[in-house]
Amino acid sequence: MKIDFVDYEPPTTWNKANPREYGFYSNVNPTIDRWSQSTEHRLDGSFLGKHLKTAMFNGYGDQVARLYNGMDLNKYY
């Protein structure tokens, strides 16, 4: 595995496909009105999986929320 720290915002698959719809941080804030990610299907071996409310920061808020301090996650969705 290799991790590179860069001083720019690298493109992601989704924001390369449609940058007006998907911002760089769109996967961490499920409260954005457009293309809501407020719920998810957890893969658990059943046909469609459990339908759950998506947690902020994909459930890693205790570990990563401080990395987003001062950011407007609605603006940068």
Side-chain angles (χ1 to χ4, degrees), residues 6 8-16 18-29 37 68 71 73 75-77:
V6 296
Y8 58 92
E9 186 178 284
T12 66
T13 300
W14 286 108
N15 72 1
K16 282 170 63 174
N18 195 343
R20 292 182 325 169
E21 300 292 337
Y22 298 98
F24 184 76
Y25 301 101
S26 61
N27 67 330
V28 299
N29 187 358
Q37 295 183 41
Y68 300 91
M71 280 186 151
L73 293 178
K75 179 180 178 184
Y76 297 110
Y77 64 95

Side-chain angles (χ1 to χ4, degrees), residues 19 42 46 60 63-64:
R42 186 72 46 92
S46 64
Y60 294 99
Q63 293 81 15
V64 303

